[in-house]
Amino acid sequence: MIRRAAATPDSPTPGATEPAPALVATGLTVGYRGRTVLTVPELVVPAGRLTAVVGPNGAGKSTLIKAALGLLPSTGGAIRLLGEPLARVRRRVAYVPQRDAVAQDFPVTAVQVVEMGRYPHRGWFRRLTREDDRAVSEAMLRTGVTDSADTPLDELSGGQRQRVFLARALAQQADLLVLDEPFAAVDTSTETRLLTLLVELCEQEGRSVLMVHHDLRTVQDHFDHAVLLSGRVIADGPVSRVLRPEHLEAAYGIPMPSRADSADRDAHSATPPTADGTDRTTEADVEGRAPARGSAASDPTAPGSSASGSSASDSSASDSPASDSRASDSNAPDSDTPGSDSAGSGPERTG
Ligand SMILES: Nc1ncnc2c1ncn2[C@@H]1O[C@H](COP(=O)(O)OP(=O)(O)OP(=O)(O)O)[C@@H](O)[C@H]1O
């Protein structure tokens, strides 16, 4: 189990300056064609953490992310990213859309897609600098797609394509990465490798990752923080507190005993059994950071990995791989008219 050494929002280092939260939503309502599908009275996603957005199909996970990135207008409320309005932090926010939302047959090679991650820094028509080239190479290496650099996008497997889009987000060197189910179609070992990479981004580089993910086991094992949605925020905070039976049942509508037992155990006793029978978990462990980290090697380039990732650079990036990451909020992927009425009661703040 890897423990986070850095101070957490729950226990800041005395005298240290707290980074602005990755995301703050206040009084947010979002919907489509007059129907509100998500209501978020208040939500704070801390900086420097790996945060999962979880919930059943149709819970509003993608809607939250699109609203945060200005891809979908909200009918009410406000969102700040990294302490600023979206317009001020576009370069600092990278987006990897859902796999299905990306045009897979766009006539570009893998490296050309990754280079798009540099456009927010250089613009579309400026030549890439050595610094850009370095960022692109490093991103491809870290995601294990170097060997596919000159392969046309439509000749890559689904998992390889997703890795390419994740590389694009990395190349942008953004402070906040927003990922919508980036591991769909990714094999298990690659998922673990990429999760390890995301953990490194948070722990070693202080970046923030907000990621829609369905596998609650993975969330429990690798993530620091979670936001559980079901048309509203059911719970948000440290993972072990969010993935509790009552929250999961409220969100998914059915009892989820195994997950609940485990999460409940962490949240309440903070004394998971160890091999030698000793208790090494403290209350601080439960409060602050990732409960467990993957044990897989962090080198995603190892043979056999065939994962994925799709990304758009700027917060305004559309879901097309060739989309201009400088595009404005009006580049929403759809033109749905937001709804007006709200849903649900307030969230349980567990953090
Ligand atoms: N373009 C759209 N037009 C109209 N309604 C939409 C649109 N996109 C999503 N919705 C509706 O909004 C609600 C939330 O959808 P959203 O895609 O945010 O859910 P999700 O939690 O991401 O689901 P999933 O896990 O299936 O990806 C659903 O009821 C869905 O039908």
Side-chain angles (χ1 to χ4, degrees), residues 239-298:
V239 165
S240 57
R241 291 186 172 189
V242 170
L243 301 187
R244 289 172 61 172
E246 62 272 29
H247 298 155
L248 294 169
E249 186 164 354
Y252 291 87
I254 54 169
M256 301 177 76
S258 58
R259 170 84 16 241
D261 287 350
S262 180
D264 201 38
R265 179 199 66 206
D266 283 353
H268 284 115
S269 70
T271 55
T274 57
D276 59 6
T278 58
D279 168 23
R280 299 200 184 100
T281 307
T282 66
E283 184 61 23
D285 290 327
V286 178
E287 295 286 335
R289 24 78 264 92
R293 299 303 196 190
S295 57
S298 61

Side-chain angles (χ1 to χ4, degrees), residues 48-348:
R49 303 294 192 86
L50 184 53
T51 297
V53 181
V54 295
N57 292 136
K61 302 180 295 296
S62 297
T63 298
L64 173 65
I65 277 180
K66 288 177 181 173
L69 298 178
L71 300 172
L72 190 61
S74 60
T75 46
I79 293 187
R80 291 173 83 85
L81 300 178
L82 303 168
E84 305 272 3
L86 173 64
R88 290 209 194 151
V89 289
R90 292 190 185 289
R91 273 182 206 188
R92 297 175 58 203
V93 181
Y95 172 45
V96 179
Q98 260 184 0
R99 183 170 170 238
D100 291 347
V102 179
Q104 309 288 351
D105 55 354
F106 206 83
V108 286
T109 62
V111 69
Q112 287 171 327
V113 172
V114 181
E115 285 172 355
M116 291 172 196
R118 302 304 298 168
Y119 293 165
H121 301 279
R122 299 285 166 229
W124 277 91
F125 303 110
R126 307 256 301 268
R127 288 175 67 92
L128 295 183
T129 64
R130 275 194 200 158
E131 183 192 341
D132 294 324
D133 288 338
R134 256 197 307 275
V136 168
S137 299
E138 185 186 323
M140 297 189 79
L141 190 65
R142 293 180 88 175
T143 52
V145 292
T146 303
D147 290 347
S148 306
D150 297 322
T151 305
L153 194 62
D154 62 0
E155 291 181 21
L156 295 174
S157 72
Q160 288 168 332
R161 273 196 292 264
Q162 281 181 270
R163 274 197 284 177
V164 167
F165 287 108
L166 183 56
R168 179 167 76 170
L170 291 187
Q172 189 181 332
Q173 297 176 322
D175 293 317
L176 169 62
L177 284 83
V178 181
L179 317 175
D180 196 346
E181 295 189 55
F183 300 146
V186 173
D187 67 70
T188 305
S189 70
T190 302
E191 176 178 323
T192 304
R193 291 168 190 276
L194 294 178
L195 272 169
T196 303
L197 170 59
L198 297 178
V199 168
E200 284 174 12
L201 290 176
C202 295
E203 294 194 341
Q204 295 171 18
E205 301 177 24
R207 301 182 198 278
S208 307
V209 177
L210 180 63
M211 180 173 135
V212 175
H213 195 56
H214 276 287
D215 182 353
L216 299 182
R217 168 62 67 187
T218 313
V219 171
Q220 180 164 293
D221 288 348
H222 295 273
F223 287 67
D224 302 306
H225 205 84
V227 179
L228 177 60
L229 297 180
S230 182
R232 61 188 174 93
V233 181
I234 301 291
D236 68 289
V239 165
S240 57
R241 291 186 172 189
V242 170
L243 301 187
R244 289 172 61 172
E246 62 272 29
H247 298 155
L248 294 169
E249 186 164 354
Y252 291 87
I254 54 169
M256 301 177 76
S258 58
R259 170 84 16 241
D261 287 350
S262 180
D264 201 38
R265 179 199 66 206
D266 283 353
H268 284 115
S269 70
T271 55
T274 57
D276 59 6
T278 58
D279 168 23
R280 299 200 184 100
T281 307
T282 66
E283 184 61 23
D285 290 327
V286 178
E287 295 286 335
R289 24 78 264 92
R293 299 303 196 190
S295 57
S298 61
D299 173 16
T301 66
S305 62
S306 67
S308 71
S310 64
S311 101
S313 32
D314 213 271
S315 57
S316 62
S318 82
D319 295 345
S320 162
S323 63
D324 184 351
S325 54
R326 301 162 301 159
S328 71
D329 293 7
S330 62
N331 277 0
D334 51 42
S335 57
D336 304 285
T337 304
S340 56
D341 61 351
S342 63
S345 56
E348 172 140 352

